[in-house]
Amino acid sequence: MAKAGLRYFAAGTALAAFTPSIAPAQAVAEEQSISDIVVTARREAESLQDVPVTVQVVTGNTLAKLAITRVEEISKLAPGLNLVNAAGSNTSVTLRGVTWRPGSGTPATPIYFNEAPFDPAQVIQSLFDVGQIEVLRGPQGTTRGAPSISGAVTITTRKPDLDDYGGYVQGLVGEGRHRDLQGAINVPIIKDLLAIRLATNIEESRGSQVYSVNSDVLPRFRERSYRATILFRPTDTISLQAMYQRRNTNTRTYVQVAGTGSPGLAAQGIPANFNGPALTVGDRRSVQDLPLSGRGTVDLLTINASWEVFGQQLSYNFGRQFNRNQYVTFSANDVLNIIPGFESAPTFGNVGLPKFATHEIRYSSLTDPDRPFDFDIGWFSKHSGGKGINYFTPAYLPGAFGSPLTARPGQVTTPNERYVLNSLTNIRLGQKFDSFYGNIRAHIDDRTELSGGLAIIRDRVPVNLNVQTFAAFSAFTSPLLPSRAACPFASPGAIASPVYTGGVVCETPLPNGFRNSQQQNNDKYSEALYNFSLSHNFMDDLLVYATTGTSFRTGLPAINNPGLPADLVTPDPEKATSYEVGFKASIGRRLRVNASAFQIDYKNQLNTFQGTQYFNTVSAARAQTSVAFYSNIDSRVRGVELQIDARPVQNLSLGLNLSYSKIKSQGGIVPANPGDCAGTAPVTAANPINFCPSAKGQTLNTQAPFQASINGGYELPITSAIGAYVRFNANYQGRNPNFGNFRTASGFRGTPSYTVVDLFAGLTGDESIWDLGIYAKNAFDKQAELSRVATINSVFPSFAALGGYDVVTTSRPREIGVQLRYAFGSR
């Protein structure tokens, strides 16, 4: 099918409501049909309706019209895709039910930034000067090199214009002290040959707007980003583009909790609610004494080059990530406020300048209507490593906050260093991944296409963990000891405490290196992946297709859980096979319907389980994973997706997106939390983690299986130069089973369904040169509970009172604001 004459659609699938710019009435009437959407899902510009792949598209114009400044908000427009930008390893990416978090290994859903798949945690950030975002669903391993079974997300920044000057500036002011100013300027240095584009984003807010009842320090999010892009095109066949971006962040955040507060412990004189009052999800409160705080600087470099040679195209894509984080970050670990008036010491982070680079070389055919096939072959490489991460962590032993006989929470807020076990952890993570891939598309006739691809991947994951502990003492007492003189006989090496003289208090020395631990891995894997697709146009506006493909993903060793048995340290690699059928139909120029159904069969799926308790061999006490524990289990995902765009009447646009994907266990065992299954024993050195049986058919989703969004807009020309608009977006999240995370008196439950509605209204000029509007995100202030983890007292277990709180996350509160945009020239 001919692809000439395709032009970029100003928004994307299910976003037609936001695409038209107000112009004279005659021009508006001419724009009432649904325009073609151009995508690069198969690495070339094609009409969305011609591609046998499920794709959703969002452009920079759409981001501006919906006041979107965070990547997370893309989830509102692409149901089934959930992006969470949170502190450290709490960042996550979910697509078709499959969730990835930092530390869990190769990303399940790669996120490409100008064709380079960077660390998702560094890309799920602010959005500015974006050209187009594409959400690709289904296997990607033989098309882009990086393996993926559920899909990928591509983000493309705006390219410099070689012909015209131009640019824009836009700003918004909203509740929660949200301030965002961004803009860009395009300068053709040598017309038709060399151009540069400079862009920036300055943003400040109160972040998630979770405040602490025990601190006057306010949460904060501050970002300063700068980007320069150069385009050099010496001939019609040669193009070179280079982009460099620096992003500086400074954050203060609190961990939200909900519950009755501590019930206290009368036998030890610990009063109820010593750590804070009863709090509900709607309170949006924390009980920490101080927030988590940190600063970060991340630079991204991309180079995209292409050369049409010998009638084909040779391409090179390069990506380089620089983490320039050498700073002190305050890691507030006492989220239950077990020790009122105190927060743990700073964690000294020294990330250095790690190596993170990707290379891709592709040789592909140019579209030729006289050739019965198209092809591409390539090599992709991602190598990461470098200096690694060093951090200093204290463990508070008995005696740190007072005598074991008389100490009560909050009575001592300055720990006695004699009873603090300090440890220095060095982690060196790396990955050396290479993929050799090739694809061929055979045009059987004018309406039928058969395509197939093969990739050979090689993956090596070197990991080195070294934990060094320093000398300390651990105090203890016993009513069986008649006098202080009896201490040496109570335990080998025990002596009378020189600090606590009231009663019989003894201590045991812990020498340097007493609990040192090392872990080294250098796992190597190789695998062959395939992908096949058959599509047929039954008529000009009806495409039916079927695809199948495989994927392979490695998991990282459990470096945050030192001392686990060897068979639990490194999960097995994940293998998956996907099957999908779908159709794409257009009815005239006013209605477009795309639908698909899929199934993914997983062998050793890398699953995420939050709040897992384990035995920490450094502190020699029960602990809880701060983010997640990763484990293998066979599973199956089944789902459907539906996209509808419509222009039923003049000036009115409507869009509907539906996504359903449910992961079900095929039988096995999963990490347990207390109460998950009968007979769960306390974790000890001999029993470092508990497991529960997972019956076949058990739901394993971490996000709501059913999600939907409905959006629309009405454009009203007022004069030949001014128009008005109203727009809306309603995002529905169905009931979330969230296995193992939600505690009730009788077991576990899911979160109820909820809907968040965003509203927009304003005035705009001819061709959207200027735009002045107001917005209300989460207009009805829906406070939905998104997750809940039963959290234990692992900061100072000597205080035996329960914390009385669960750690929760909620939807963002309502934000009402105003935004203004002005553009000129090529923009």
Side-chain angles (χ1 to χ4, degrees), residues 250-491:
N250 193 328
T251 61
R252 292 196 301 252
T253 58
Y254 289 100
V255 176
Q256 185 179 355
V257 296
T260 60
S262 177
L265 198 63
Q268 295 185 14
I270 299 177
N273 296 102
F274 71 89
N275 59 342
L279 297 171
T280 66
V281 170
D283 290 328
R284 303 187 63 84
R285 289 293 183 266
S286 169
V287 292
Q288 290 170 221
D289 292 312
L290 289 173
L292 295 81
S293 62
R295 302 183 304 274
T297 299
V298 177
D299 294 355
L300 301 180
L301 168 67
T302 62
I303 298 176
N304 309 105
S306 65
W307 180 27
E308 294 182 14
V309 57
F310 303 127
Q312 314 304 330
Q313 181 167 282
L314 180 65
S315 304
Y316 173 66
N317 297 307
F318 171 76
R320 179 73 161 90
Q321 177 178 316
F322 305 84
N323 286 53
R324 304 183 185 276
N325 298 343
Q326 291 184 321
Y327 58 89
V328 177
T329 178
F330 193 91
S331 181
N333 297 317
D334 192 7
V335 298
L336 302 182
N337 200 31
I338 295 299
I339 311 174
F342 170 80
E343 275 296 350
S344 60
T347 296
F348 294 84
N350 183 359
V351 179
L353 193 63
K355 299 176 181 178
F356 187 107
T358 65
H359 302 266
E360 183 187 30
I361 299 175
R362 297 177 62 248
Y363 187 64
S364 54
S365 60
L366 296 173
T367 302
D368 185 347
D370 296 327
R371 186 175 54 231
F373 67 90
D374 297 310
F375 72 90
D376 67 271
I377 56 176
W379 165 71
F380 170 80
S381 171
K382 181 180 76 171
H383 287 197
S384 62
K387 293 183 178 180
I389 303 172
N390 299 295
Y391 60 88
F392 170 85
T393 306
Y396 303 101
L397 306 178
F401 292 96
S403 167
L405 281 174
T406 61
R408 299 294 179 264
Q411 288 182 341
V412 177
T413 58
T414 302
N416 189 314
E417 293 297 327
R418 183 180 182 85
Y419 304 105
V420 178
L421 176 66
N422 293 310
S423 63
L424 179 63
T425 301
N426 174 265
I427 302 176
R428 296 175 63 90
L429 300 176
Q431 183 179 31
K432 296 183 178 180
F433 177 90
D434 292 275
S435 171
F436 302 88
Y437 64 90
N439 295 276
I440 188 168
R441 297 203 299 269
H443 308 291
I444 298 176
D445 55 39
D446 290 341
R447 293 182 175 271
T448 307
E449 178 186 280
L450 176 65
S451 65
L454 178 67
I456 305 298
I457 67 172
R458 297 176 181 175
D459 197 3
R460 183 160 70 90
V461 187
V463 176
N464 188 305
L465 171 69
N466 185 15
V467 180
Q468 179 183 1
T469 60
F470 301 94
F473 291 85
S474 180
F476 66 94
T477 184
S478 170
L480 299 178
L481 297 177
S483 67
R484 292 168 55 81
C487 285
F489 302 100
S491 177

Side-chain angles (χ1 to χ4, degrees), residues 36 207 283 334 424 489 571 573 575-576 603 605 636 661 756 805:
D36 285 323
D283 290 328
D334 192 7
L424 179 63
F489 302 100
K575 300 180 180 181
K603 178 69 175 176
Q605 183 184 15
R636 171 172 290 171
S661 56
V756 172
Y805 294 115

Side-chain angles (χ1 to χ4, degrees), residues 100 102 107 111 117-124 321 323 356:
W100 171 90
I111 298 184
F118 288 109
D119 174 7
Q122 304 304 332
V123 182
I124 308 177
Q321 177 178 316
N323 286 53
F356 187 107

Side-chain angles (χ1 to χ4, degrees), residues 469-761:
T469 60
F470 301 94
F473 291 85
S474 180
F476 66 94
T477 184
S478 170
L480 299 178
L481 297 177
S483 67
R484 292 168 55 81
C487 285
F489 302 100
S491 177
I495 60 174
S497 170
V499 177
Y500 304 114
T501 57
V504 180
V505 179
C506 306
E507 62 182 35
T508 299
L510 304 177
N512 279 323
F514 177 70
R515 289 177 181 155
N516 285 0
S517 65
Q518 288 187 333
Q519 179 179 323
Q520 291 183 334
N521 299 78
N522 193 20
D523 303 307
K524 300 178 182 180
Y525 306 96
S526 62
E527 191 73 15
L529 310 179
Y530 66 81
N531 189 79
F532 294 99
S533 176
L534 176 64
S535 61
H536 181 74
N537 283 89
F538 284 92
M539 56 186 67
D540 290 342
D541 294 323
L542 177 60
L543 174 72
V544 177
Y545 64 91
T547 66
T548 183
T550 59
S551 185
F552 178 90
R553 187 163 69 100
T554 55
L556 288 175
I559 57 175
N560 289 325
N561 306 311
L564 287 176
D567 60 338
L568 299 179
V569 169
T570 305
D572 295 325
E574 171 188 282
K575 300 180 180 181
T577 303
S578 173
Y579 310 90
E580 181 175 343
V581 294
F583 72 86
K584 296 186 174 185
S586 299
I587 302 176
R589 302 292 293 175
R590 290 180 176 269
L591 179 65
R592 178 168 50 227
V593 180
N594 297 340
S596 63
F598 63 90
Q599 176 175 304
I600 308 175
D601 292 327
Y602 281 98
K603 178 69 175 176
N604 293 324
Q605 183 184 15
L606 292 165
N607 270 270
T608 301
F609 299 92
Q610 292 180 280
T612 301
Q613 294 184 23
Y614 72 99
F615 185 80
N616 187 321
T617 57
V618 174
S619 61
R622 182 180 60 155
Q624 190 167 21
T625 53
S626 59
V627 284
F629 179 82
Y630 302 93
S631 181
N632 297 115
I633 189 170
D634 294 348
S635 64
R636 171 172 290 171
V637 185
R638 285 178 173 169
V640 295
E641 292 157 341
L642 174 66
Q643 307 168 28
I644 299 176
D645 293 328
R647 291 182 181 269
V649 298
Q650 185 173 345
N651 298 334
L652 175 64
S653 300
L654 297 173
L656 170 67
N657 269 332
L658 302 177
S659 173
Y660 176 83
S661 56
K662 178 172 281 191
I663 305 178
K664 291 188 176 182
S665 168
Q666 296 300 291
I669 58 173
V670 295
N673 289 324
D676 278 0
C677 53
T680 298
V683 292
T684 62
N687 179 45
I689 193 170
N690 288 310
F691 286 91
C692 287
S694 176
K696 185 175 181 179
Q698 184 176 34
T699 299
L700 299 176
N701 288 64
T702 61
Q703 303 289 340
F706 180 72
Q707 303 176 31
S709 69
I710 304 174
N711 50 60
Y714 185 75
E715 314 288 339
L716 178 64
I718 298 176
T719 70
S720 61
I722 299 177
Y725 62 84
V726 291
R727 302 167 187 145
F728 75 92
N729 183 78
N731 181 255
Y732 172 81
Q733 298 285 318
R735 182 180 181 274
N736 184 359
N738 230 337
F739 168 74
N741 291 353
F742 296 85
R743 181 180 60 188
T744 66
S746 59
F748 291 90
R749 63 172 176 81
T751 55
S753 60
Y754 68 95
T755 302
V756 172
V757 177
D758 297 342
L759 301 175
F760 308 84

